[in-house]
Amino acid sequence: MQDVKTMICDNLSVSSRGHLLFGGHDTVELIRQYGSPLYVMDEEKIRRNARIYVDSMKQYFGNGSHPLFASKAASFKQIYRIIGQEGMGTDVVSAGEIYTAKAAGFDMSLAYFHGNNKTDADIAYAMENGVGCIVADNAEELEAIERLAGERGIRQKILLRLTPGIDPHTYEAVATGKVDSKFGAAIETGAAEELTLLALSKSNLDLWGFHCHVGSQVFDSEVYLAASEIMLSFVAKMQKDHGLVTRELNLGGGYGVRYTEADPVINIAENIALVAAELKKTAARLGIALPCILMEPGRSIVADAGLTLYTVGSVKEIKGYKNYVSVDGGMPDNPRYALYGSAYTVEIANKMDESKEFVCSVVGRCCECGDILQENVKLTSTVTRGDILAVLTTGAYNYSMASNYNRIPRLPIIMVTKDSSYVAVKRETFEDLIKNEI
Ligand code: LLP
């Protein structure tokens, strides 16, 4: 029997029948009730994760400092309701995310609009839907915001996205704060100061401050301390040289989560306390007041609040070569292994009490060899058609990155609560697949 204490997240346990429990719910029963495959999310866990940020940011940075949920990690109506109720703002990166948040009744004044290439239509859409702040990326965008704000007779609150030039020691695709990143303006090259002066010269732009995002799945707290130091020094320089008093400093998202036992446990509250202490010290040294601090966690709010359940279809042993376990999902519902080689923990949810000796690749049902969920997985050697396979920690960047490749309908999201469960996102139908086709 798997020791509950060794499981990667505190909302996972094993029942006396050897079934995997998630948020106290029997995952085998969930499949029976809602069909296969399924994304399952634990509402209480999302709320707990959110509260850690809301409470510690208030405690350590003071009133006015708060987290924004980076909704690219998981964008659907119910998630905006949950994080709104917990006192988080949101980071949105497209008109589609704005539309979804608004449809959920989210307070759009708490939305920050990101992206390195917002079209005029995106910017106009954000303004018309009351998005509180636009995080401007470049000079062309500043000109467009200035013009579109002028046409509407408004003064648009903005932050400027800067790159502090830090290597966050994560994988390349998500290391976004380096000087050569496609995002923002680099402090090191002088581009950040130029962008600031341009923003200050515009009458329809209300420059509140600056933003940076060093990367994603980051465990090294030094990275945040270094970014804070660089950003605050820039804030002080802008104040001294150009009289700009920064009201908000947004440090982005990025704290890592445990996909496997090899990943460290990260204490978010302790990390926030560390960053706060460093920022206060630096602000005092630089002789400036500490602006309100924002953070944009995505993964660390939802990843471990989700898992995916599949049904095993076949077990193929190619003697002397490789073993395959095929499930009824794959890269359309979780492209992260195919894209980044991301590690996951995989369990046979109805056989948690059996030892694991069968080394295999867990693959999907797409017509392509790259359709792999995980390789070198150890499962019970009795694994067979009809077993329930769980991939853990899939609450972030799975549903939001899902596709209909091979015309496979997207999975539903089932939300479990303390004593019940409900459908937060319905399973796609074949009609949904062709609804835009003539
Ligand atoms: N803020 C900004 C401006 C971002 O670009 C991101 C993530 C976040 C916040 C949230 O970062 P988090 O706390 O979730 O690490 N698809 C990739 C992740 C891409 C993240 C992009 N930006 C993956 O599946 O690993």
Side-chain angles (χ1 to χ4, degrees), residues 53 68-73 91 93 114-115 135 161 171 173-174 176 183 211-218 224 250-256 259 295-302 334 336 339-340 342 344 396-398 400-401:
Y53 276 96
L68 313 171
F69 171 58
S71 60
K72 72 209 77 180
D91 143 3
V93 287
H114 278 279
V135 184
R161 174 145 186 180
Y171 48 107
V174 294
T176 45
F183 297 99
H211 168 279
C212 72
H213 171 76
V214 287
S216 202
Q217 186 64 354
V218 177
Y224 289 94
N250 183 331
L251 298 174
Y255 283 119
Y259 286 103
M295 283 181 162
E296 292 171 337
R299 197 187 305 271
S300 52
I301 300 294
V302 285
N334 185 354
R336 295 190 70 256
L339 273 174
Y340 319 117
S342 305
Y344 281 102
Y397 303 111
N398 271 231
S400 62
M401 292 175 71

Side-chain angles (χ1 to χ4, degrees), residues 330-386:
M331 67 191 295
D333 61 78
N334 185 354
R336 295 190 70 256
Y337 188 81
L339 273 174
Y340 319 117
S342 305
Y344 281 102
T345 300
V346 181
E347 304 282 358
I348 296 298
N350 54 315
K351 294 178 173 172
M352 296 296 286
D353 45 1
E354 296 184 11
S355 60
K356 303 167 169 183
E357 276 128 29
F358 183 66
V359 178
C360 59
S361 289
V362 176
V363 297
R365 58 173 166 174
C366 284
C367 205
E368 115 158 41
C369 295
D371 177 19
I372 301 169
L373 286 168
Q374 202 62 204
E375 289 178 291
N376 291 315
V377 175
K378 269 192 179 166
L379 299 177
T380 167
S381 48
T382 71
V383 59
T384 186
R385 186 176 177 91

Side-chain angles (χ1 to χ4, degrees), residues 255-273:
Y255 283 119
V257 301
R258 293 191 86 199
Y259 286 103
T260 69
E261 282 172 16
D263 291 320
V265 177
I266 187 164
N267 184 322
I268 300 288
E270 269 173 22
N271 270 272
I272 290 174

